[in-house]
Each structure stands twice: as C-alpha cells, then as structure tokens.
Amino acid sequence: MIKRSRAVIKKFIIHKVANKFNSGENVFSENAVTFDQESYELMLPFLLKPYANIAESYRFNHHANIDLNEINNYATEVFKDEESFVELSKHIVNHLYEQSNSAQIKTGDVIIALFEDVEYKDAVTNALGIFKIENKIDFFQTYLEEDNFDIFVQKGISTKKLDKGCLIINYTDDEGKTVLSVDNNNYDAQYWIKNFLNIKFADDSNQHTQNYIEMCKDFSEEIIKEDLGLQEKSKFLAQTVDFFKENENVNIHDFKDEVFVEHEEHKAKFDDYKKHYEDINDVLIRNDFAVSPVVLKKQKAKIKTEIKLDTNIQIKLDVDAPDAASEYVERGYDEEKKMKYYKVYFNEES
C-alpha cells in the first residue's frame, strides 16, 4: 500500500488503444496534458486512491530474463530520463494493443502518468502509473440557449473507480521493482496481469497469508462442509482466523494440530488438498511463514459463516469466536417433526 498525501503528478498523457483482433488503430497524443486546478484535484485521488489499501504486491516476470520484460524496461527508462515519457508512453500503448487478441478485449482511453513523492514503506520515490478506462458512463449536461435551459446527454469517465490500472513504484528489493495492480473489469485474467504486465505475486508474508487463508476457505467448502456439515465448516474457518490472530508465524504442523483436534483424519485430507490446490492454482503454499495482519484483516472480512436453512432462517456465527459453534449450538433430528434442528444457547438478547 502507498501513502499519497505528498504525491504529485509530474507528467500525464492520454492515448486511445484499439483492438488488434478487430484490426483497429491506436490514436496517440503528441504532448502531455497541462491541468487546470479543478481537473488536477479530481484526477490525482482518482488515480492513486485505489492503491492506498492494497497489501499484495507483484514483481515483473519473464521466462528468460527479467530485463526482457517490456513494461519493466519502459518504466526503467522513464525513471532514468523523464524527457522520454511521451515516446515511451506510446510504446506502452502499442504493447497493450498487441495483447488484444480476442474480440472481448475492450478498447478505451489509456492514461499514463508519472508521479513524484509517493510514499511506499520507508521510501519517498516516484512511480509510473498505467490506467485503462474501458467503460464510460452517461451523464446530463445543461446549457443555456435563448433564455432557457436545455439538457443533453454526454459520456464521460466516472471518478468512482478505475477499470484497470497498475502502479510501478521505483522501489526495488531482491525480487525487483514493486508493482501494484487493480482490475475491476476482470473479464480476461490473462490479458492484464499475465500478457500485458507479465507480473507475478511477490514472495512475501502478504502473499503467503492470502494464499493460505484462501486455500483454507476452499478446503472448508469442498471437504469440511461435505464431510461434517455447515456448522463444522464455520467452526473450522473461525479456528483458522483465531490461529492467525494468535500467532505471528504460521507453521503448517502446528496449525493442523490445533484445528483438527476433534477430527484427526482431516490432517491427511488437508495435506492432500494442499497439493491439489497448488497444482490447479499454480501457487506455492508455504509450510512456515510470517502472518500479515493487514491481509488477515481483509481476508477475515470476506469469510462467510452463515448457515442458511430451507425454513427461511439464517444462523450467523461470529468468525472471531471459534468455540461458539461447538459450545452454544447443537444440531439434532426431531423424530416427531421428521426435521433437523439447531438448538442455540444464550443468556440475553441484544
């Protein structure tokens, strides 16, 4: 994540990218934009705000040599020589155009911006942003004609969210430059991340935490729920969150010992599922890693622990209370009604 309180736009240009599949042609600007104050004050947060809450970062990738990654090269050149900004921005759009090998790839405006004084970790540095606007919204415009106001419809860019964007930060670690990415129109997962940017997740605690929790969520749905039911699924997820909250580091053996106390047979199933998950998702799940509190908080918010019943009743279990499902909820079968039931214990209603 970045801090943008000191950030400024140093250079800014807009081009239009076509679709190669449909034999379209790109349209280029020859000069950078000069902002008026009102436009600038809207544009800066529109471009940078999405990256203020992103914990997971990427690094550039290439099958042969990282120096052959096109976007990595263009960013390096811009950071070295700002006078090359306009020309290199055209190369970036042409590279994006070359990836549009499907009819579903949308045309759109491409904004390329060079930022200064972006705060990332302990550094204050510059960053190169590449943003693609794929969808425009209708809005009403009013005008005065012969002493009467009239109205017409125009199309424009919404300031609510970016369609696609990346921020290449001039901050390098052992894996290379840091890249943050946003894709709110994820109709083709290969197009933006793999084909255009050619980036991979960084090998850090943020990604390890996300990978592990997402695997646990899928394991709870595909294995725990099928074997033991929704109550045990919710309990497993709550125990997973609790383990991450209580430990600065996750060790897979300690994790299994704690969450599978009542169901020892699921340790082996968890190991088998981990291998399966790694294969089908092409990810590496670490057996020992440091917990990222930021990612844990985000992942916890996504976890669903509702038990939905066909009698239009829902039971929502608190993911922060791992013992509640077993201590205060009982599941059984009523012979008289020929129906299953849940019995819930409590002291007071609130």
Side-chain angles (χ1 to χ4, degrees), residues 273-319:
Y273 189 85
K274 177 176 175 291
K275 294 175 184 177
H276 169 72
Y277 187 89
E278 289 176 323
D279 289 341
I280 64 172
N281 292 286
D282 192 25
V283 297
L284 175 64
I285 307 296
R286 296 287 184 185
N287 291 332
D288 202 305
F289 59 90
V291 173
S292 166
V294 174
V295 174
L296 173 60
K297 182 178 179 180
K298 290 175 63 178
Q299 288 293 317
K300 189 180 79 169
K302 298 178 183 178
I303 291 176
K304 307 296 183 185
T305 56
E306 293 91 352
I307 300 175
K308 297 181 180 180
L309 309 178
D310 58 4
T311 50
N312 298 318
I313 294 173
Q314 294 185 26
I315 302 173
K316 185 175 182 180
L317 303 171
D318 190 344
V319 73

Side-chain angles (χ1 to χ4, degrees), residues 24 31 55 63 93 97 119 163 172 233 241 244 267-268 284 300 303 334 342:
N31 297 292
H63 69 277
V93 172
Y97 173 81
E119 296 180 60
D163 290 324
T172 303
K233 172 195 168 183
V241 169
F244 273 73
K267 287 184 178 181
L284 175 64
K300 189 180 79 169
I303 291 176
D334 189 296
Y342 280 104

Side-chain angles (χ1 to χ4, degrees), residues 170-185:
N170 194 13
Y171 179 96
T172 303
D173 57 19
D174 292 341
E175 295 183 82
K177 292 186 191 69
T178 299
V179 183
L180 307 178
S181 182
V182 170
D183 188 354
N184 287 312
N185 290 344

Side-chain angles (χ1 to χ4, degrees), residues 333-339:
Y333 184 80
D334 189 296
E335 291 289 349
E336 184 177 337
K337 291 189 175 183
K338 304 299 182 185
M339 295 176 71

